[in-house]
Amino acid sequence: MSRLDRSLIAHMAPFEGLNPTELDRMIGQARALRITKDHAVFDQEQDAHSFFLLLDGYVRVIKTTPDGEEVTVRYISPGELMGIASALGRTTYPASAIAVVDCVVLAWPSGMWSEFASAFPNFGANTYRTVGNRLQDAHARVVEMSTEQVDQRVAHALLKLVRQSGKRTDEGLLIDFPLSRQDIAEMTGTTLHTVSRLLTAWEEQGLVRSGRQKVTVVEPHRLLMLAEGRTEKT
Amino acid sequence: MSRLDRSLIAHMAPFEGLNPTELDRMIGQARALRITKDHAVFDQEQDAHSFFLLLDGYVRVIKTTPDGEEVTVRYISPGELMGIASALGRTTYPASAIAVVDCVVLAWPSGMWSEFASAFPNFGANTYRTVGNRLQDAHARVVEMSTEQVDQRVAHALLKLVRQSGKRTDEGLLIDFPLSRQDIAEMTGTTLHTVSRLLTAWEEQGLVRSGRQKVTVVEPHRLLMLAEGRTEKT
DNA sequence: CGCAGCGTTGATACGATTCAAGGGAGGTGG
DNA sequence: CCACCTCCCTTGAATCGTATCAACGCTGCG
């Protein structure tokens, strides 16, 4: 087993303001795990034994309804914490997390979270800031779902993903992990059929390029116009 | 100006675990304010000078979109904190808060929040628990809006309000503040017309009784069935 | 008394889901 | 290397839930 080094995490937002000694103490307690594509990092309703930091890859956080429908809560990028049930005063995970590509994560026992938070106030504050940001994201999403039409919501979702993981290519900004029509539907509360129709329409207008589990945004600016509803239908 | 006494707040959730001395120190810094019906406690985008505790009344928290639509984020009941922008790492209020009846609130300068949180760890933890709960509420709402039809969302909204402020009357559980069709529409992302139709239909079935800015749930259990979608249309 | 605010109800329109069918690409095993 | 099979995507047609448009009634307050 390779020794974990503080340089792995030093530059990441959750650890901002921690000094090298503190980083060493935290990483000394971490286990590194590989999660292969389509496997769960943690499962909704299960006992929250650990919290996690994503080092590499992408993870989809989903909530499953009693009747089996899945709603995607967010995508996690490298450097983000996940499964921080303890920071929310829970003993159980409120959602499931699935690796969308092969991933590397660090895991700490949940019980350790409050120790870290009090021993390293910056870490606690950083985590709470994360929770605060996610609350604002969630509220923004509620507003979107209450006031926008499906096409605007899909456009917003794509732009959000591009901001999170956009990779410049010669065609435009590629979303850097496999993303199906169904996945987009689960982010926006619609069906894969509607997403498919929207994407083909946008492709004809040159806004995006897309294929099997792959979406490239060609004209972010025009897509944003559409997302903001500032376009008159032609 | 009447002296504020710690007994005002001692029994309220945000102050759980604080001893009398601590309560005195907190309340010593508070100002009590009366907010008359339909007036704002604070405004979206404004500088977050203070955070608040609702002592009496009810407050509606709303987000306004660029094009003027209003979405109700939540209703605040007595004993809840609001405007805790500092706990979210913000310097500005993310929403507006409007008194739906005449209210009494306590206000503290925002800057004092972090002082209190570190001086009285229980207070900090309680606040963060509140933020965590609101995050979960918001996610639950996203799931609802993604998977449920309007009638189920309206039913859920009414049940939530009944749980928060239901007052037993001889007809059933009355929601204890003025609540119009439009208000319900803003909570559920629909229109006042649709809400009106639903309520008259439910009234015919004996599920609710309602009038001008007034809703009474007569049969919470049957309404819950409907909210959970376990009813076959007759 | 009159008006403003809230509520109701019909008719119509439309966005999006649902139902249905088929095509294509990529991976796997023979 | 080819055949097959699975998973993903597309596209048409029918349907339905809800918004929109429109008009009117009621009620309580100033």
Side-chain angles (χ1 to χ4, degrees):
Chain A
M1 165 183 167
S2 70
R3 190 143 195 74
L4 298 172
D5 189 276
R6 67 165 174 267
S7 65
L8 273 173
I9 59 167
H11 60 288
M12 289 174 162
F15 307 98
E16 211 181 295
L18 299 212
N19 65 41
T21 323
E22 295 172 328
L23 291 170
D24 285 340
R25 279 192 50 206
M26 282 202 69
I27 206 158
Q29 311 273 13
R31 280 170 306 133
L33 301 175
R34 274 170 200 290
I35 313 285
T36 52
K37 182 176 173 179
D38 293 333
H39 285 78
V41 183
F42 54 85
D43 285 295
Q44 186 169 353
E45 310 293 288
Q46 298 268 89
D47 184 66
H49 51 81
S50 305
F51 68 94
F52 304 88
L53 174 76
L54 182 60
L55 285 180
D56 189 56
Y58 287 93
V59 169
R60 187 161 50 109
V61 177
I62 63 183
K63 283 199 156 235
T64 307
T65 63
D67 45 82
E69 279 191 275
E70 296 189 344
V71 176
T72 297
V73 172
R74 63 185 298 112
Y75 278 83
I76 303 284
S77 306
E80 286 189 77
L81 294 174
M82 54 185 168
I84 42 179
S86 359
L88 283 79
R90 290 192 53 122
T91 60
T92 190
Y93 297 115
S96 303
I98 311 287
V100 296
V101 294
D102 289 352
C103 288
V104 182
V105 307
L106 293 182
W108 288 269
S110 282
M112 220 161 257
W113 188 85
S114 60
E115 278 179 46
F116 288 152
S118 51
F120 318 130
N122 279 327
F123 174 72
N126 291 340
T127 313
Y128 285 128
R129 181 165 34 247
T130 298
V131 175
N133 288 336
R134 290 185 189 174
L135 177 56
Q136 293 177 67
D137 286 353
H139 280 157
R141 187 118 164 249
V142 168
V143 171
E144 266 185 29
M145 303 222 46
S146 299
T147 61
E148 295 179 355
Q149 314 256 79
V150 168
D151 56 348
Q152 296 178 276
R153 302 206 303 267
V154 171
H156 270 132
L158 293 180
L159 290 168
K160 215 179 304 176
L161 292 174
V162 159
R163 256 177 268 127
Q164 242 191 294
S165 83
K167 212 178 129 188
R168 183 160 293 290
T169 70
D170 45 359
E171 288 187 322
L173 296 159
L174 171 70
I175 293 167
D176 198 26
F177 49 80
L179 183 74
S180 70
R181 310 293 184 255
Q182 177 67 31
D183 293 332
I184 299 173
E186 287 176 7
M187 299 180 68
T188 51
T190 180
T191 62
L192 72 157
H193 308 278
T194 299
V195 173
S196 178
R197 287 183 233 271
L198 284 172
L199 287 184
T200 56
W202 291 346
E203 186 135 14
E204 278 163 17
Q205 297 172 238
L207 288 174
V208 304
R209 302 226 53 202
S210 76
R212 192 190 178 77
Q213 299 191 93
K214 181 168 81 67
V215 180
T216 304
V217 174
V218 178
E219 300 213 32
H221 185 69
R222 278 214 285 154
L223 191 61
L224 182 61
M225 296 277 91
L226 203 157
E228 301 293 336
R230 294 206 277 275
T231 49
E232 293 319 306
K233 317 282 178 211
T234 47
Chain B
M1 162 183 169
S2 70
R3 190 144 193 74
L4 297 173
D5 188 275
R6 66 166 176 265
S7 65
L8 273 173
I9 59 167
H11 60 288
M12 288 172 163
F15 307 98
E16 210 180 295
L18 299 211
N19 64 42
T21 324
E22 294 172 330
L23 291 170
D24 284 341
R25 279 193 49 206
M26 282 202 68
I27 207 160
Q29 310 273 12
R31 279 170 306 133
L33 301 174
R34 274 170 198 289
I35 313 284
T36 52
K37 182 176 170 175
D38 293 331
H39 285 78
V41 183
F42 53 85
D43 285 293
Q44 186 170 351
E45 311 292 289
Q46 299 266 89
D47 183 67
H49 50 82
S50 304
F51 70 94
F52 305 87
L53 174 76
L54 183 59
L55 285 180
D56 189 58
Y58 288 94
V59 169
R60 185 161 52 110
V61 178
I62 62 183
K63 282 199 159 240
T64 307
T65 63
D67 46 81
E69 277 189 276
E70 295 187 346
V71 176
T72 297
V73 172
R74 65 184 296 111
Y75 279 84
I76 303 284
S77 306
E80 287 189 77
L81 294 174
M82 56 185 166
I84 43 180
S86 357
L88 285 82
R90 291 193 52 122
T91 59
T92 191
Y93 297 115
S96 302
I98 310 287
V100 296
V101 293
D102 289 351
C103 290
V104 182
V105 307
L106 293 182
W108 290 269
S110 281
M112 219 161 261
W113 187 85
S114 58
E115 276 179 49
F116 287 152
S118 51
F120 318 130
N122 280 326
F123 175 71
N126 291 339
T127 313
Y128 285 127
R129 181 167 33 248
T130 298
V131 174
N133 288 337
R134 289 185 189 175
L135 177 56
Q136 294 178 65
D137 286 353
H139 281 157
R141 186 118 166 249
V142 168
V143 171
E144 267 186 30
M145 303 220 50
S146 298
T147 60
E148 296 179 355
Q149 313 256 79
V150 168
D151 56 348
Q152 295 178 277
R153 302 206 304 267
V154 171
H156 271 133
L158 292 181
L159 289 168
K160 214 179 305 176
L161 292 175
V162 159
R163 256 176 268 128
Q164 245 192 291
S165 83
K167 213 178 130 186
R168 185 160 291 290
T169 70
D170 45 358
E171 289 187 322
L173 295 159
L174 171 69
I175 293 168
D176 198 27
F177 48 81
L179 182 74
S180 70
R181 309 295 184 253
Q182 176 67 30
D183 293 331
I184 298 172
E186 287 175 8
M187 298 181 69
T188 51
T190 180
T191 62
L192 70 155
H193 308 279
T194 298
V195 173
S196 177
R197 287 183 231 270
L198 285 172
L199 287 184
T200 56
W202 292 345
E203 187 135 13
E204 279 162 17
Q205 298 173 235
L207 289 173
V208 304
R209 303 227 53 203
S210 77
R212 193 188 178 77
Q213 298 192 96
K214 181 170 81 68
V215 180
T216 303
V217 174
V218 179
E219 298 213 32
H221 185 68
R222 277 216 285 155
L223 192 60
L224 181 60
M225 294 279 91
L226 204 157
E228 302 293 336
R230 293 205 278 276
T231 51
E232 294 318 305
K233 318 280 179 213
T234 45

